Amino acid sequence: VFDDFKPYLSNVFLLLGILLFFAAGYFVYKKYYKKETAPLKESIPAFREALQKLAQLDKKLLWQNDQTKDYYAELTEIIKVYIGRELEIHTLEATTAELIPLLQQANRSKEIGIAQKSVESLAAFFKNADFVKFAKLKPLSHAIQNDRRVAEKLLQDLESVFQKHKQASVLATDAEESDFENKSALPKKEKKKKAILYLSIFV
């Protein structure tokens, strides 16, 4: 009969009460006190990676060993990869005719602020490299060294613009988050009140 199970029911209710108490405590802790931190991904900044690749390219001595075409292929690839990483667009397989419009579109849509003069300089650099890679143009040593300097200067100019854009974006984001936190964040006392209330309800 039902009365035969009464002594055991009290133990079951006690166990359920303990489980509910710990469940409530965990719920309150997770909701109001635990700070979730995403694992940090280690990656080399795009500009530093580009400079490292330029240094590695210099050590290969490609154009000094009559491999001018390969030299310009790697030189332009370094810049393409850099632009692609910074703007989050696919640039590696893009031709010069495709890359420049992609850059201009991203510049307008994201309001980055790349000057038209810089875009024109970049286009001229890639077109000159295309002559070497596809039209079998053989530039003299001083012209190759000058193109190497131009490539690094283009990277530096773009990096300056990208950094300014990032700083402006961070400031705008911080302002929005601060305003949101001021409106929505609960004071510590209010958190404690809610915690006690939830615990009381569960118990």
Side-chain angles (χ1 to χ4, degrees):
V1 293
F2 179 75
D3 291 340
D4 294 333
F5 296 98
K6 279 185 179 181
Y8 303 102
L9 289 177
S10 59
N11 293 332
V12 173
F13 289 145
L14 178 62
L15 179 61
L16 288 175
I18 294 173
L19 291 175
L20 285 173
F21 178 80
F22 281 109
Y26 174 76
F27 170 78
V28 172
Y29 167 74
K30 186 176 181 181
K31 185 174 179 64
Y32 294 104
Y33 296 100
K34 185 178 180 181
K35 294 182 179 179
E36 296 182 0
T37 55
L40 296 176
K41 294 182 179 179
E42 294 184 0
S43 61
I44 302 175
F47 182 63
R48 189 191 305 173
E49 181 187 47
L51 293 182
Q52 289 178 357
K53 288 182 177 179
L54 284 177
Q56 293 170 1
L57 179 61
D58 293 338
K59 292 179 181 179
K60 291 181 179 181
L61 302 176
L62 292 177
W63 66 268
Q64 293 91 333
N65 291 293
D66 201 26
Q67 300 180 49
T68 308
K69 181 179 177 181
D70 293 335
Y71 178 81
Y72 274 86
E74 290 197 29
L75 188 62
T76 53
E77 182 178 312
I78 291 170
I79 299 178
K80 285 183 178 182
V81 170
Y82 168 76
I83 294 173
R85 284 192 60 187
E86 287 292 347
L87 298 181
E88 297 180 349
I89 57 177
H90 299 289
T91 57
L92 194 55
E93 301 299 328
T95 63
T96 300
E98 296 168 343
L99 177 63
I100 299 304
L102 281 174
L103 176 64
Q104 292 174 321
Q105 182 180 358
N107 188 36
R108 289 192 301 268
S109 62
K110 298 181 180 181
E111 298 181 352
I112 296 171
I114 302 173
Q116 182 61 28
K117 185 178 179 180
S118 297
V119 176
E120 292 173 356
S121 298
L122 192 64
F125 172 81
F126 278 113
K127 286 179 180 178
N128 181 60
D130 287 343
F131 282 124
V132 178
K133 292 188 293 183
F134 306 118
K136 297 182 179 181
L137 176 68
K138 293 184 178 180
L140 299 176
S141 59
H142 72 274
I144 297 174
Q145 292 171 347
N146 181 65
D147 287 337
R148 166 64 175 79
R149 288 191 293 269
V150 169
E152 187 166 350
K153 181 65 166 56
L154 287 170
L155 288 171
Q156 291 173 347
D157 292 343
L158 288 173
E159 177 67 8
S160 177
V161 176
F162 290 149
Q163 286 302 320
K164 289 180 181 179
H165 177 260
K166 288 177 182 178
Q167 290 174 1
S169 299
V170 168
L171 290 174
T173 302
D174 289 344
E176 291 177 359
E177 289 181 352
S178 177
D179 183 59
F180 176 77
E181 288 176 359
N182 290 335
K183 291 179 180 179
S184 62
L186 293 171
K188 289 185 177 180
K189 290 184 178 179
E190 190 66 25
K191 284 186 175 181
K192 288 182 178 179
K193 286 181 180 179
K194 282 207 167 188
I196 295 172
L197 176 62
Y198 281 123
L199 282 171
S200 301
I201 292 173
F202 275 107
V203 171

